[in-house]
Amino acid sequence: MQKEQCYMCEKSATSAEHVPPKCLFPEFKDAKKNLRVNLITVPSCDEHNGKKSHDDEFLMVSIAGIIGNNSIGYQHYSGKIQRALRRTSYKLLEKVFLRKELVRIGDENKFIEILWGTPDYERLINCFSHIAYGIYHHHFKQKFYGVLKPYLGFLHTNEQNPKAFKAFIKEKVRVELADEPKYGDNLEVFYYQFTKPDNFGIFLVKLCFYQNVDVFVSYMPSGAQKPTHLGFELMNRGIKTIITLGDKEYEFN
Ligand SMILES: [Zn+2]
């Protein structure tokens, strides 16, 4: 039998990698129910196994504590992650945020601690790219060849353009995904949806964690035509651009 190839590279797979990482799914003792039903795995080489690079842990600490998550995410954050943070004397935090603070909300007896800081953006992008490759492999039963571009919908920014872009992409994806099924056997923790390919063969996945943390990843298969969207061209050049989607208008620059 031929050995399976890694989902990321041409090397032979040596293990199965969970996508998304298993540690994002709370254990039974914390959740009091099974949230690890049929977790997705893909064949992986040593180098592309997140466990070995501690990227899994990094991702867990980065997204489970985000405000607005459902109670599953919150429980997970206050259980396993707080234990992990205490165990490592908050060293984990240093890995997650380039500049960080621990902020407490609430009074002395009842409070939650939230992470606040500048996330390690490059590393997050890297983590979500891996998940996007893995999800593609799992869904289409083949490897993805082309260019991937993650967009982190959950990060907040004060700049004007990214804000408008975020509102725009959220609405665009909401419309395109309205009739597409949600995949995943633990919807409260994670699911994904694929859009249909556009005229250029480009399509998008929505990765949703704890029913709140949205990440959009666009896939441009190799050989696909590069789109020239006048609106985006103008936007990139800093010219005031209005893009209409449905009955809403989005202003850039
Ligand atoms: Zn590999």
Side-chain angles (χ1 to χ4, degrees):
M1 218 180 89
Q2 217 190 334
K3 262 208 133 185
E4 269 194 299
Q5 260 185 12
C6 171
Y7 75 112
M8 286 290 298
C9 69
E10 308 296 319
K11 283 189 208 142
S12 298
T14 52
S15 61
E17 161 89 329
H18 281 89
V19 286
K22 190 178 182 179
C23 63
L24 294 183
F25 298 81
E27 289 174 62
F28 192 88
K29 66 171 177 180
D30 288 322
K32 310 284 183 269
K33 60 175 162 175
N34 188 4
L35 291 171
R36 292 183 165 188
V37 181
N38 297 326
L39 298 185
I40 299 167
T41 61
V42 291
S44 169
C45 73
D46 274 0
E47 189 194 329
H48 289 115
N49 192 316
K51 256 178 239 109
K52 299 196 169 71
S53 61
H54 301 289
D55 275 346
D56 295 359
E57 216 172 34
F58 162 77
L59 190 65
M60 171 180 83
V61 178
S62 298
I63 66 174
I66 287 173
I67 296 175
N69 285 357
N70 60 15
S71 60
I72 302 290
Y74 176 69
Q75 274 169 14
H76 192 36
Y77 179 67
S78 51
K80 180 174 186 158
I81 294 171
Q82 289 290 346
R83 286 200 298 276
L85 288 174
R86 275 195 295 271
R87 204 170 46 232
T88 59
S89 328
Y90 289 81
K91 276 208 183 91
L92 262 177
L93 276 184
E94 280 159 38
K95 289 193 210 155
V96 176
F97 291 110
L98 301 175
R99 243 184 17 199
K100 79 275 161 205
E101 271 175 72
L102 202 63
V103 180
R104 286 183 174 190
I105 296 178
D107 60 35
E108 265 173 54
N109 301 316
K110 200 174 176 214
F111 59 84
I112 56 167
E113 285 179 333
I114 57 161
L115 309 181
W116 192 262
T118 311
D120 188 339
Y121 183 76
E122 291 302 319
R123 195 170 177 194
L124 277 175
I125 290 288
N126 191 40
C127 287
F128 287 115
S129 297
H130 281 65
I131 294 175
Y133 273 107
I135 289 297
Y136 183 94
H137 189 289
H138 168 76
H139 193 82
F140 297 105
K141 308 288 175 243
Q142 55 178 299
K143 221 186 292 191
F144 175 71
Y145 292 99
V147 181
L148 272 182
K149 203 170 165 16
Y151 175 72
L152 309 183
F154 62 90
L155 287 186
H156 300 287
T157 165
N158 292 321
E159 291 165 62
Q160 187 49 40
N161 248 7
K163 246 187 198 163
F165 185 70
K166 181 170 163 176
F168 169 73
I169 196 159
K170 277 206 157 169
E171 181 60 13
K172 185 172 156 64
V173 169
R174 192 187 66 75
V175 171
E176 287 189 29
L177 290 179
D179 298 319
E180 300 297 334
K182 292 178 179 174
Y183 295 98
D185 288 324
N186 311 278
L187 291 179
E188 292 159 293
V189 181
F190 171 74
Y191 68 80
Y192 67 89
Q193 290 173 289
F194 273 105
T195 66
K196 302 224 159 42
D198 67 9
N199 298 341
F200 303 98
I202 297 168
F203 53 96
L204 218 119
V205 76
K206 172 183 170 177
L207 309 170
C208 181
F209 303 88
Y210 310 116
Q211 297 174 317
N212 176 56
V213 178
D214 293 338
V215 174
F216 309 108
V217 186
S218 62
Y219 295 81
M220 190 167 81
S222 44
Q225 232 183 313
K226 257 214 179 103
T228 42
H229 186 295
L230 186 62
F232 284 113
E233 295 276 307
L234 293 173
M235 208 170 103
N236 284 334
R237 280 162 209 200
I239 297 163
K240 185 173 164 179
T241 309
I242 294 170
I243 296 180
T244 314
L245 188 72
D247 55 357
K248 288 181 192 133
E249 284 190 342
Y250 298 88
E251 189 180 319
F252 301 91
N253 300 316

